[in-house]
Amino acid sequence: VTDAASSPLVRYAYENGAWAAPTQAANGFLDAALSADGSQILALTATTLVPVDPVTLAMGTAVSPSGTW
């Protein structure tokens, strides 16, 4: 993941002794990190925090910050 505007989150899986075709979540991520328990990827866009399943790359409900910074 990079800070380019069209940065996708991509998963490369190693299955049955070979690399599978990569899967991709939506574009526009600025950064991402695996949660401490490994249950989700926390991905950032310019305006939201998006939980992502690390196996399927299914995106959860995005959370927008509230209040003033």
Side-chain angles (χ1 to χ4, degrees):
V1 177
T2 68
D3 61 354
S6 63
S7 299
L9 187 60
V10 181
R11 177 180 181 261
Y12 292 87
Y14 189 73
E15 300 172 355
N16 301 319
W19 288 100
T23 53
Q24 178 177 321
N27 290 335
F29 293 114
L30 300 176
D31 202 359
L34 188 62
S35 64
D37 65 2
S39 66
Q40 60 186 341
I41 296 171
L42 301 172
L44 292 173
T45 70
T47 58
T48 60
L49 173 69
V50 184
V52 180
D53 183 289
V55 176
T56 66
L57 293 186
M59 293 189 294
T61 303
V63 178
S64 297
S66 60
T68 56
W69 294 82

